Amino acid sequence: MNPIHYKTKKNGNHVARNASLYNKPFVEQFEETPLVVAVLTYMGYGILTIFGYLRDFLRDWGFEKCHVARERDAQKDFVPLYQDFENFYTRNLYMRIRDNWNRPICSVPGAKMDLVERVSKDYNWTFEHTGMVVREVINMGSYNYLGFAENTGSCAEAATASNSVYGVGVASTRYEMGNLDIHEEMEQLVARFLGVESAMAFGMGFATNSMNIPALAGKGCLILSDELNHASLVLGARLSGSTIRVFKHNNMVSLEKMLKDAIVHGQPRTHRPWKKILILVEGIYSMEGSIVRLPEVIALKKRYKAYLYLDEAHSIGALGPHGGGVVDYFGLDPKDVDIMMGTFTKSFGAAGGYIGGKRELIDYLRSHSHSAIYATSMSPPVAQQIITSMKIIMGEDGTTLGADRLRQLSENTTYFRRKLREMGFIIYGNNDSPVVPMMLYMPAKIGAFGREMLKRNIGTVVVGFPATPIIESRARFCVSAAHTRDITMLKQRAQTVSFRHVCCPSKDSPFIFLTACQHFFFFLSFFFFF
């Protein structure tokens, strides 16, 4: 076997060096945090913490009312219900910017959406609906990659028609009276779409991971998990009872080192060989916008005789010339991936998840997976939505709509990322990833950016600690095939406000020192007044 080489870092780009494993250049961008911005970010969190303790002091003396649940004095000798730091973070940091999340939507979450207007009279502790609706908000936050989240068209019509035949709910498990012919049709279609022998579907994407990994691994097994894996993968690994070791994100050197150690040393204390070594990775990482280095992972998996579990929740339908996910994107053989997992909640505009692989694997999971045995069957209209949208992607509906949407998503992704870079923003991830994280860094910018965007009828997701590292707060855009060129080009809207006061410019910008000073005084004024 040819030696495997690894990535190098140049100007913030991660480049794959072993070109023989890739059918096209593979480059990801992760620009380092500018030093001044990192220092000011830590200062911002320091100021927040100081004022948080000051407000707690005022609450203890009755000068300020605390609205969040707290331990009663009579229970001080009991095991605490709330972790002290989490409670502190919630009432003093999260509450300041809570208005950026859980906004009620009163329309289909398509390219545009309608939001229910709400206000808070007690600094985000509670909200009241005004009765007004914010119309035509550009939706840059939903995982509607191919635009199938819609209430018109062939998918909506087919789902409605299935409702008149099967009803909405099944009210039983697949093992009892809940196995419908539409479920069998859907699973056969999924297997054909993935290029595997067999597949099975589940009613919930999160449970697909958390309930099936324990059926695949157990005591005496080793799970090697990417440090940025989704919470469902982490929970599934923990529930399995296996030994878990975490390797650095998308870092093949770290992964190979752990594989070598596992082979050489075996299990702790006994040093017996591991019963099974399972590698857990995702196709697209939803917070980083990065694509897994699947050719290198497969090469390592084959070399060290491990098993590979691939979560394609964000990549299935959104990557590859045929929408087949990261396997299709790299032109690999689906048989090289032992367990292919994905969800129907994103590109297919439906709900639930699936696992595909060899027929023996699926037959085993049907009788050993808690999610398969105890969970209620998938709703028939949801199954029909999956069937119709998947057939459109595969071109089996007799139209080119699926190919057109795949091409439109790719063009929108490339265009949107290029325009953000031209405007001077720091963005993360792979150029082909429809998940586009734009770095904000400082805590005060999280709320400011979300509010300023909504003022201009753009709905987006802002993310901060603990969902991200403390100095890497960000806004996350999700590009869709439903977006048009006019929608994805936010430059004209952005020109109406100086985004330099809300976002961080590139570290090469000559205005970074001036911007840093503005942020410093912004922090002081913000926290002294609130």
Side-chain angles (χ1 to χ4, degrees), residues 28-33 287-290 417 421 426-431 433 435-439 441 472 474:
E28 292 183 335
Q29 185 177 37
F30 296 97
E31 186 171 335
E32 294 183 2
T33 305
M287 285 297 173
E288 303 297 317
S290 58
R417 282 181 169 271
R421 288 197 183 98
I426 297 176
I427 60 175
Y428 274 7
N430 191 286
N431 287 338
S433 170
V435 179
V436 186
M438 188 178 75
M439 307 310 293
Y441 296 112
E472 293 185 6
R474 65 198 66 180

PDB file of all heavy atoms in Angstrom, residues 28-33 287-290 417 421 426-431 433 435-439 441 472 474:
ATOM      1  N   GLU A  28      -9.569  23.071   2.745  1.00  0.00           N
ATOM      2  CA  GLU A  28     -10.475  23.658   3.720  1.00  0.00           C
ATOM      3  C   GLU A  28      -9.802  24.849   4.370  1.00  0.00           C
ATOM      4  O   GLU A  28      -8.585  24.855   4.566  1.00  0.00           O
ATOM      5  CB  GLU A  28     -10.867  22.629   4.785  1.00  0.00           C
ATOM      6  CG  GLU A  28     -11.737  21.514   4.245  1.00  0.00           C
ATOM      7  CD  GLU A  28     -12.188  20.546   5.321  1.00  0.00           C
ATOM      8  OE1 GLU A  28     -11.484  20.444   6.343  1.00  0.00           O
ATOM      9  OE2 GLU A  28     -13.224  19.896   5.152  1.00  0.00           O
ATOM     10  N   GLN A  29     -10.600  25.859   4.706  1.00  0.00           N
ATOM     11  CA  GLN A  29     -10.061  27.097   5.264  1.00  0.00           C
ATOM     12  C   GLN A  29     -10.447  27.228   6.730  1.00  0.00           C
ATOM     13  O   GLN A  29     -11.627  27.177   7.075  1.00  0.00           O
ATOM     14  CB  GLN A  29     -10.579  28.308   4.478  1.00  0.00           C
ATOM     15  CG  GLN A  29      -9.969  29.629   4.925  1.00  0.00           C
ATOM     16  CD  GLN A  29     -10.446  30.787   4.080  1.00  0.00           C
ATOM     17  OE1 GLN A  29     -11.599  30.832   3.673  1.00  0.00           O
ATOM     18  NE2 GLN A  29      -9.572  31.730   3.809  1.00  0.00           N
ATOM     19  N   PHE A  30      -9.446  27.409   7.587  1.00  0.00           N
ATOM     20  CA  PHE A  30      -9.671  27.664   9.011  1.00  0.00           C
ATOM     21  C   PHE A  30      -8.677  28.734   9.443  1.00  0.00           C
ATOM     22  O   PHE A  30      -7.634  28.436  10.015  1.00  0.00           O
ATOM     23  CB  PHE A  30      -9.486  26.388   9.848  1.00  0.00           C
ATOM     24  CG  PHE A  30     -10.486  25.315   9.535  1.00  0.00           C
ATOM     25  CD1 PHE A  30     -10.171  24.289   8.662  1.00  0.00           C
ATOM     26  CD2 PHE A  30     -11.742  25.340  10.106  1.00  0.00           C
ATOM     27  CE1 PHE A  30     -11.092  23.308   8.374  1.00  0.00           C
ATOM     28  CE2 PHE A  30     -12.669  24.356   9.827  1.00  0.00           C
ATOM     29  CZ  PHE A  30     -12.349  23.335   8.949  1.00  0.00           C
ATOM     30  N   GLU A  31      -9.003  29.972   9.153  1.00  0.00           N
ATOM     31  CA  GLU A  31      -8.093  31.071   9.455  1.00  0.00           C
ATOM     32  C   GLU A  31      -7.949  31.241  10.958  1.00  0.00           C
ATOM     33  O   GLU A  31      -8.943  31.209  11.703  1.00  0.00           O
ATOM     34  CB  GLU A  31      -8.612  32.362   8.821  1.00  0.00           C
ATOM     35  CG  GLU A  31      -7.659  33.543   8.955  1.00  0.00           C
ATOM     36  CD  GLU A  31      -8.109  34.735   8.131  1.00  0.00           C
ATOM     37  OE1 GLU A  31      -8.826  34.535   7.138  1.00  0.00           O
ATOM     38  OE2 GLU A  31      -7.747  35.864   8.495  1.00  0.00           O
ATOM     39  N   GLU A  32      -6.744  31.401  11.414  1.00  0.00           N
ATOM     40  CA  GLU A  32      -6.493  31.538  12.841  1.00  0.00           C
ATOM     41  C   GLU A  32      -7.079  32.845  13.372  1.00  0.00           C
ATOM     42  O   GLU A  32      -7.124  33.855  12.677  1.00  0.00           O
ATOM     43  CB  GLU A  32      -4.986  31.496  13.119  1.00  0.00           C
ATOM     44  CG  GLU A  32      -4.349  30.149  12.813  1.00  0.00           C
ATOM     45  CD  GLU A  32      -2.874  30.124  13.170  1.00  0.00           C
ATOM     46  OE1 GLU A  32      -2.387  31.157  13.689  1.00  0.00           O
ATOM     47  OE2 GLU A  32      -2.233  29.101  12.926  1.00  0.00           O
ATOM     48  N   THR A  33      -7.515  32.794  14.616  1.00  0.00           N
ATOM     49  CA  THR A  33      -8.083  33.974  15.256  1.00  0.00           C
ATOM     50  C   THR A  33      -7.010  35.054  15.421  1.00  0.00           C
ATOM     51  O   THR A  33      -5.949  34.776  15.993  1.00  0.00           O
ATOM     52  CB  THR A  33      -8.658  33.623  16.635  1.00  0.00           C
ATOM     53  OG1 THR A  33      -9.590  32.553  16.492  1.00  0.00           O
ATOM     54  CG2 THR A  33      -9.342  34.829  17.265  1.00  0.00           C
ATOM     55  N   MET A 287     -21.026  22.641  12.521  1.00  0.00           N
ATOM     56  CA  MET A 287     -20.543  23.873  13.123  1.00  0.00           C
ATOM     57  C   MET A 287     -19.284  24.400  12.439  1.00  0.00           C
ATOM     58  O   MET A 287     -18.940  25.565  12.582  1.00  0.00           O
ATOM     59  CB  MET A 287     -20.260  23.677  14.615  1.00  0.00           C
ATOM     60  CG  MET A 287     -21.498  23.610  15.480  1.00  0.00           C
ATOM     61  SD  MET A 287     -22.430  25.160  15.434  1.00  0.00           S
ATOM     62  CE  MET A 287     -23.878  24.666  16.360  1.00  0.00           C
ATOM     63  N   GLU A 288     -18.592  23.533  11.713  1.00  0.00           N
ATOM     64  CA  GLU A 288     -17.334  23.922  11.082  1.00  0.00           C
ATOM     65  C   GLU A 288     -17.461  24.099   9.581  1.00  0.00           C
ATOM     66  O   GLU A 288     -16.609  24.751   8.962  1.00  0.00           O
ATOM     67  CB  GLU A 288     -16.257  22.866  11.367  1.00  0.00           C
ATOM     68  CG  GLU A 288     -16.015  22.599  12.838  1.00  0.00           C
ATOM     69  CD  GLU A 288     -15.487  23.819  13.553  1.00  0.00           C
ATOM     70  OE1 GLU A 288     -14.607  24.508  13.011  1.00  0.00           O
ATOM     71  OE2 GLU A 288     -15.964  24.095  14.675  1.00  0.00           O
ATOM     72  N   GLY A 289     -18.475  23.498   8.972  1.00  0.00           N
ATOM     73  CA  GLY A 289     -18.585  23.544   7.525  1.00  0.00           C
ATOM     74  C   GLY A 289     -17.517  22.717   6.838  1.00  0.00           C
ATOM     75  O   GLY A 289     -17.241  22.920   5.650  1.00  0.00           O
ATOM     76  N   SER A 290     -16.900  21.795   7.546  1.00  0.00           N
ATOM     77  CA  SER A 290     -15.824  20.982   6.993  1.00  0.00           C
ATOM     78  C   SER A 290     -16.356  19.631   6.534  1.00  0.00           C
ATOM     79  O   SER A 290     -17.344  19.118   7.061  1.00  0.00           O
ATOM     80  CB  SER A 290     -14.712  20.790   8.023  1.00  0.00           C
ATOM     81  OG  SER A 290     -15.215  20.178   9.200  1.00  0.00           O
ATOM     82  N   ARG A 417     -20.083  31.785  -0.627  1.00  0.00           N
ATOM     83  CA  ARG A 417     -18.787  31.784   0.050  1.00  0.00           C
ATOM     84  C   ARG A 417     -17.828  32.796  -0.580  1.00  0.00           C
ATOM     85  O   ARG A 417     -17.102  33.502   0.130  1.00  0.00           O
ATOM     86  CB  ARG A 417     -18.176  30.378   0.000  1.00  0.00           C
ATOM     87  CG  ARG A 417     -18.784  29.404   1.009  1.00  0.00           C
ATOM     88  CD  ARG A 417     -18.130  28.040   0.923  1.00  0.00           C
ATOM     89  NE  ARG A 417     -18.522  27.185   2.052  1.00  0.00           N
ATOM     90  CZ  ARG A 417     -17.901  27.127   3.206  1.00  0.00           C
ATOM     91  NH1 ARG A 417     -16.813  27.859   3.393  1.00  0.00           N
ATOM     92  NH2 ARG A 417     -18.317  26.343   4.186  1.00  0.00           N
ATOM     93  N   ARG A 421     -16.112  36.211   1.325  1.00  0.00           N
ATOM     94  CA  ARG A 421     -14.665  36.449   1.377  1.00  0.00           C
ATOM     95  C   ARG A 421     -14.311  37.792   0.749  1.00  0.00           C
ATOM     96  O   ARG A 421     -13.430  38.511   1.248  1.00  0.00           O
ATOM     97  CB  ARG A 421     -13.926  35.316   0.657  1.00  0.00           C
ATOM     98  CG  ARG A 421     -13.926  34.004   1.417  1.00  0.00           C
ATOM     99  CD  ARG A 421     -12.862  33.058   0.881  1.00  0.00           C
ATOM    100  NE  ARG A 421     -12.902  31.772   1.573  1.00  0.00           N
ATOM    101  CZ  ARG A 421     -13.508  30.695   1.113  1.00  0.00           C
ATOM    102  NH1 ARG A 421     -14.127  30.743  -0.056  1.00  0.00           N
ATOM    103  NH2 ARG A 421     -13.500  29.567   1.802  1.00  0.00           N
ATOM    104  N   ILE A 426     -14.221  36.383   7.735  1.00  0.00           N
ATOM    105  CA  ILE A 426     -13.516  35.130   7.971  1.00  0.00           C
ATOM    106  C   ILE A 426     -14.553  34.019   8.027  1.00  0.00           C
ATOM    107  O   ILE A 426     -15.440  34.018   8.887  1.00  0.00           O
ATOM    108  CB  ILE A 426     -12.715  35.175   9.286  1.00  0.00           C
ATOM    109  CG1 ILE A 426     -11.640  36.256   9.206  1.00  0.00           C
ATOM    110  CG2 ILE A 426     -12.075  33.823   9.570  1.00  0.00           C
ATOM    111  CD1 ILE A 426     -10.871  36.442  10.501  1.00  0.00           C
ATOM    112  N   ILE A 427     -14.466  33.075   7.092  1.00  0.00           N
ATOM    113  CA  ILE A 427     -15.408  31.957   7.063  1.00  0.00           C
ATOM    114  C   ILE A 427     -14.621  30.656   7.131  1.00  0.00           C
ATOM    115  O   ILE A 427     -13.461  30.580   6.730  1.00  0.00           O
ATOM    116  CB  ILE A 427     -16.318  31.984   5.817  1.00  0.00           C
ATOM    117  CG1 ILE A 427     -15.488  31.901   4.535  1.00  0.00           C
ATOM    118  CG2 ILE A 427     -17.182  33.222   5.816  1.00  0.00           C
ATOM    119  CD1 ILE A 427     -16.337  31.814   3.287  1.00  0.00           C
ATOM    120  N   TYR A 428     -15.278  29.628   7.665  1.00  0.00           N
ATOM    121  CA  TYR A 428     -14.643  28.333   7.880  1.00  0.00           C
ATOM    122  C   TYR A 428     -15.164  27.298   6.889  1.00  0.00           C
ATOM    123  O   TYR A 428     -16.227  27.455   6.283  1.00  0.00           O
ATOM    124  CB  TYR A 428     -14.927  27.831   9.297  1.00  0.00           C
ATOM    125  CG  TYR A 428     -13.966  28.335  10.360  1.00  0.00           C
ATOM    126  CD1 TYR A 428     -13.009  29.300  10.078  1.00  0.00           C
ATOM    127  CD2 TYR A 428     -14.024  27.836  11.666  1.00  0.00           C
ATOM    128  CE1 TYR A 428     -12.143  29.759  11.064  1.00  0.00           C
ATOM    129  CE2 TYR A 428     -13.157  28.288  12.657  1.00  0.00           C
ATOM    130  CZ  TYR A 428     -12.220  29.254  12.336  1.00  0.00           C
ATOM    131  OH  TYR A 428     -11.364  29.699  13.306  1.00  0.00           O
ATOM    132  N   GLY A 429     -14.397  26.227   6.756  1.00  0.00           N
ATOM    133  CA  GLY A 429     -14.886  25.042   6.081  1.00  0.00           C
ATOM    134  C   GLY A 429     -14.438  24.874   4.655  1.00  0.00           C
ATOM    135  O   GLY A 429     -13.602  25.602   4.124  1.00  0.00           O
ATOM    136  N   ASN A 430     -15.046  23.874   4.009  1.00  0.00           N
ATOM    137  CA  ASN A 430     -14.746  23.507   2.636  1.00  0.00           C
ATOM    138  C   ASN A 430     -15.558  24.345   1.663  1.00  0.00           C
ATOM    139  O   ASN A 430     -16.706  24.700   1.943  1.00  0.00           O
ATOM    140  CB  ASN A 430     -15.042  22.013   2.448  1.00  0.00           C
ATOM    141  CG  ASN A 430     -14.518  21.470   1.147  1.00  0.00           C
ATOM    142  OD1 ASN A 430     -15.068  21.724   0.088  1.00  0.00           O
ATOM    143  ND2 ASN A 430     -13.440  20.706   1.225  1.00  0.00           N
ATOM    144  N   ASN A 431     -14.981  24.640   0.509  1.00  0.00           N
ATOM    145  CA  ASN A 431     -15.662  25.476  -0.474  1.00  0.00           C
ATOM    146  C   ASN A 431     -16.946  24.852  -0.997  1.00  0.00           C
ATOM    147  O   ASN A 431     -17.820  25.552  -1.512  1.00  0.00           O
ATOM    148  CB  ASN A 431     -14.730  25.765  -1.656  1.00  0.00           C
ATOM    149  CG  ASN A 431     -13.638  26.754  -1.295  1.00  0.00           C
ATOM    150  OD1 ASN A 431     -13.776  27.520  -0.354  1.00  0.00           O
ATOM    151  ND2 ASN A 431     -12.540  26.714  -2.036  1.00  0.00           N
ATOM    152  N   SER A 433     -19.057  23.020   0.885  1.00  0.00           N
ATOM    153  CA  SER A 433     -19.988  22.770   1.981  1.00  0.00           C
ATOM    154  C   SER A 433     -21.077  23.845   2.029  1.00  0.00           C
ATOM    155  O   SER A 433     -20.767  25.039   2.111  1.00  0.00           O
ATOM    156  CB  SER A 433     -19.243  22.741   3.318  1.00  0.00           C
ATOM    157  OG  SER A 433     -20.158  22.735   4.395  1.00  0.00           O
ATOM    158  N   VAL A 435     -22.900  24.460   4.466  1.00  0.00           N
ATOM    159  CA  VAL A 435     -22.871  25.036   5.820  1.00  0.00           C
ATOM    160  C   VAL A 435     -21.725  26.033   5.854  1.00  0.00           C
ATOM    161  O   VAL A 435     -20.570  25.671   5.648  1.00  0.00           O
ATOM    162  CB  VAL A 435     -22.676  23.952   6.885  1.00  0.00           C
ATOM    163  CG1 VAL A 435     -22.628  24.581   8.276  1.00  0.00           C
ATOM    164  CG2 VAL A 435     -23.777  22.909   6.804  1.00  0.00           C
ATOM    165  N   VAL A 436     -22.052  27.312   6.112  1.00  0.00           N
ATOM    166  CA  VAL A 436     -21.056  28.387   6.010  1.00  0.00           C
ATOM    167  C   VAL A 436     -20.960  29.109   7.358  1.00  0.00           C
ATOM    168  O   VAL A 436     -21.770  29.989   7.656  1.00  0.00           O
ATOM    169  CB  VAL A 436     -21.420  29.387   4.902  1.00  0.00           C
ATOM    170  CG1 VAL A 436     -20.293  30.410   4.701  1.00  0.00           C
ATOM    171  CG2 VAL A 436     -21.724  28.667   3.594  1.00  0.00           C
ATOM    172  N   PRO A 437     -19.980  28.766   8.207  1.00  0.00           N
ATOM    173  CA  PRO A 437     -19.786  29.506   9.463  1.00  0.00           C
ATOM    174  C   PRO A 437     -19.003  30.798   9.199  1.00  0.00           C
ATOM    175  O   PRO A 437     -17.944  30.774   8.572  1.00  0.00           O
ATOM    176  CB  PRO A 437     -18.966  28.529  10.323  1.00  0.00           C
ATOM    177  CG  PRO A 437     -18.900  27.246   9.557  1.00  0.00           C
ATOM    178  CD  PRO A 437     -19.099  27.601   8.132  1.00  0.00           C
ATOM    179  N   MET A 438     -19.525  31.910   9.685  1.00  0.00           N
ATOM    180  CA  MET A 438     -18.851  33.205   9.572  1.00  0.00           C
ATOM    181  C   MET A 438     -18.481  33.663  10.981  1.00  0.00           C
ATOM    182  O   MET A 438     -19.333  33.764  11.859  1.00  0.00           O
ATOM    183  CB  MET A 438     -19.752  34.238   8.905  1.00  0.00           C
ATOM    184  CG  MET A 438     -19.048  35.535   8.586  1.00  0.00           C
ATOM    185  SD  MET A 438     -20.132  36.704   7.744  1.00  0.00           S
ATOM    186  CE  MET A 438     -21.149  37.263   9.102  1.00  0.00           C
ATOM    187  N   MET A 439     -17.217  33.932  11.204  1.00  0.00           N
ATOM    188  CA  MET A 439     -16.720  34.144  12.558  1.00  0.00           C
ATOM    189  C   MET A 439     -17.100  35.520  13.096  1.00  0.00           C
ATOM    190  O   MET A 439     -16.948  36.544  12.420  1.00  0.00           O
ATOM    191  CB  MET A 439     -15.203  33.972  12.589  1.00  0.00           C
ATOM    192  CG  MET A 439     -14.737  32.648  12.000  1.00  0.00           C
ATOM    193  SD  MET A 439     -15.614  31.216  12.676  1.00  0.00           S
ATOM    194  CE  MET A 439     -15.036  31.255  14.370  1.00  0.00           C
ATOM    195  N   TYR A 441     -16.542  35.887  16.878  1.00  0.00           N
ATOM    196  CA  TYR A 441     -15.560  35.866  17.959  1.00  0.00           C
ATOM    197  C   TYR A 441     -16.090  36.414  19.277  1.00  0.00           C
ATOM    198  O   TYR A 441     -16.165  35.717  20.258  1.00  0.00           O
ATOM    199  CB  TYR A 441     -14.281  36.624  17.556  1.00  0.00           C
ATOM    200  CG  TYR A 441     -13.559  35.994  16.398  1.00  0.00           C
ATOM    201  CD1 TYR A 441     -13.499  36.625  15.159  1.00  0.00           C
ATOM    202  CD2 TYR A 441     -12.955  34.756  16.530  1.00  0.00           C
ATOM    203  CE1 TYR A 441     -12.835  36.032  14.085  1.00  0.00           C
ATOM    204  CE2 TYR A 441     -12.285  34.151  15.472  1.00  0.00           C
ATOM    205  CZ  TYR A 441     -12.237  34.801  14.256  1.00  0.00           C
ATOM    206  OH  TYR A 441     -11.590  34.213  13.203  1.00  0.00           O
ATOM    207  N   GLU A 472     -14.451  31.448  19.567  1.00  0.00           N
ATOM    208  CA  GLU A 472     -14.819  31.203  18.173  1.00  0.00           C
ATOM    209  C   GLU A 472     -16.331  31.250  17.981  1.00  0.00           C
ATOM    210  O   GLU A 472     -16.916  30.401  17.305  1.00  0.00           O
ATOM    211  CB  GLU A 472     -14.255  29.862  17.694  1.00  0.00           C
ATOM    212  CG  GLU A 472     -12.734  29.850  17.603  1.00  0.00           C
ATOM    213  CD  GLU A 472     -12.189  28.557  17.013  1.00  0.00           C
ATOM    214  OE1 GLU A 472     -12.992  27.719  16.572  1.00  0.00           O
ATOM    215  OE2 GLU A 472     -10.965  28.382  16.994  1.00  0.00           O
ATOM    216  N   ARG A 474     -19.767  32.424  16.309  1.00  0.00           N
ATOM    217  CA  ARG A 474     -19.959  32.554  14.868  1.00  0.00           C
ATOM    218  C   ARG A 474     -21.421  32.682  14.496  1.00  0.00           C
ATOM    219  O   ARG A 474     -22.318  32.404  15.304  1.00  0.00           O
ATOM    220  CB  ARG A 474     -19.378  31.320  14.165  1.00  0.00           C
ATOM    221  CG  ARG A 474     -20.105  30.025  14.513  1.00  0.00           C
ATOM    222  CD  ARG A 474     -19.274  28.806  14.174  1.00  0.00           C
ATOM    223  NE  ARG A 474     -18.069  28.726  14.998  1.00  0.00           N
ATOM    224  CZ  ARG A 474     -17.176  27.745  14.904  1.00  0.00           C
ATOM    225  NH1 ARG A 474     -17.350  26.781  14.045  1.00  0.00           N
ATOM    226  NH2 ARG A 474     -16.119  27.728  15.683  1.00  0.00           N
TER     227      ARG A 474
END
